[in-house]
């Protein structure tokens, strides 16, 4: 018997749209949230300063190595002290002895202000200082300090070393962290300008 001729059937190809990687989307969201809201304070026509300009120097460490911490005494008078702070993961970490004036001020009122002079830009950072007591963070910051020349180590819920700045008081030293709420930058070099940055506190 003659065979029936059968046509070769081909399965239709499914057209699939490219899916956006959820990791990429998440990374973009995090990056977007990491950028603070800015307001141009310049009155001479300069553009807003880039926050990344300040961050690059904060991560490298200020040229003079000193941050100035302003706290408030119980009677309302201001107190300013130089501290060796570190900028890590978008926050300022610093140490202070329990009996120092700045530590006593922070216990009563954790609102404080840091100022630092960077190359071409002066910076003021406002926030709330909180004491750090978890061991992983203490160990990580002790290593960061040691890498910069101060041989810190963890002792209980604080840091210790053979020496520190006289203004830090006797060991051990409490570790504090300040998460910026607002920052002000005034450029002393090109490009000039003045900007206020407001940070997302949900991060």
């Amino acid at each position: 018997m003659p065979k029936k001729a059968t046509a070769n059937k081909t399965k239709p190809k499914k057209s699939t749209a490219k899916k956006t990687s959820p990791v990429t989307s998440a990374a973009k969201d995090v990056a977007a949230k990491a950028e603070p809201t800015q307001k141009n304070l310049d009155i001479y026509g300069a553009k807003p300063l880039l926050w990344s300009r300040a961050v690059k120097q904060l991560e490298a460490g200020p040229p003079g190595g000193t941050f100035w911490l302003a706290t408030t005494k119980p009677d309302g008078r201001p107190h300013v002290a130089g501290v060796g702070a570190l900028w890590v993961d978008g926050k300022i970490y610093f140490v202070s002895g329990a009996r120092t004036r700045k530590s006593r001020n922070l216990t009563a009122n954790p609102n404080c202000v840091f100022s630092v002079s960077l190359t071409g830009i002066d910076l003021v950072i406002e926030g709330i200082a909180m004491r750090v007591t978890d061991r992983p963070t203490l160990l990580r910051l002790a290593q960061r300090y040691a890498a910069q020349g101060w041989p810190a180590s963890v002792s209980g819920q604080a840091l210790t070393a053979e020496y520190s700045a006289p203004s830090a008081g006797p060991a051990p030293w409490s570790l504090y962290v300040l998460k910026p709420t607002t920052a002000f930058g005034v450029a002393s070099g090109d490009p000039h300008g003045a900007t206020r940055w407001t940070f997302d506190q949900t991060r």
Side-chain angles (χ1 to χ4, degrees):
M1 293 180 66
K3 294 181 180 180
K4 292 181 180 179
T6 57
N8 291 331
K9 294 181 179 180
T10 57
K11 293 182 179 180
K13 293 183 179 179
K14 294 181 179 179
S15 59
T16 56
K18 291 184 179 179
K19 294 181 179 180
T20 304
S21 170
V23 176
T24 303
S25 298
K28 288 182 179 179
D29 290 342
V30 171
K33 289 181 181 179
E35 282 298 316
T37 303
Q38 65 182 20
K39 180 177 181 180
N40 193 356
L41 302 180
D42 186 81
I43 60 174
Y44 299 106
K47 294 181 179 179
L49 302 175
L50 296 177
W51 175 241
S52 58
R53 175 179 173 183
V55 170
K56 185 177 180 180
Q57 293 194 55
L58 288 170
E59 291 177 342
T66 302
F67 288 78
W68 295 94
L69 171 64
T71 58
T72 306
K73 294 180 181 180
D75 61 5
R77 289 182 298 156
H79 176 267
V80 179
V83 296
L86 294 176
W87 178 267
V88 180
D89 299 333
K91 304 177 185 71
I92 299 177
Y93 288 86
F94 63 101
V95 297
S96 181
R99 289 181 287 173
T100 61
R101 168 48 61 191
K102 54 185 176 294
S103 287
R104 286 180 287 155
N105 288 349
L106 290 173
T107 298
N109 181 0
N111 291 283
C112 57
V113 179
F114 270 98
S115 60
V116 60
S117 184
L118 305 173
T119 301
I121 181 172
D122 294 323
L123 205 61
V124 171
I125 302 174
E126 301 176 342
I128 297 174
M130 306 296 290
R131 190 178 169 197
V132 177
T133 57
D134 68 281
R135 190 169 181 81
T137 303
L138 289 169
L139 288 169
R140 186 162 64 103
L141 267 296
Q143 292 174 353
R144 292 291 292 265
Y145 272 115
Q148 294 200 0
W150 182 50
S153 61
V154 178
S155 176
Q157 293 185 328
L159 299 185
T160 188
E162 295 180 2
Y163 62 87
S164 186
S167 61
W173 301 286
S174 299
L175 177 68
Y176 290 87
V177 61
L178 178 139
K179 183 179 179 182
T181 56
T182 309
F184 298 85
V186 178
S188 56
D190 290 327
H192 289 278
T195 303
R196 181 182 71 202
W197 298 281
T198 303
F199 298 83
D200 180 7
Q201 293 307 296
T202 60
R203 292 190 290 121

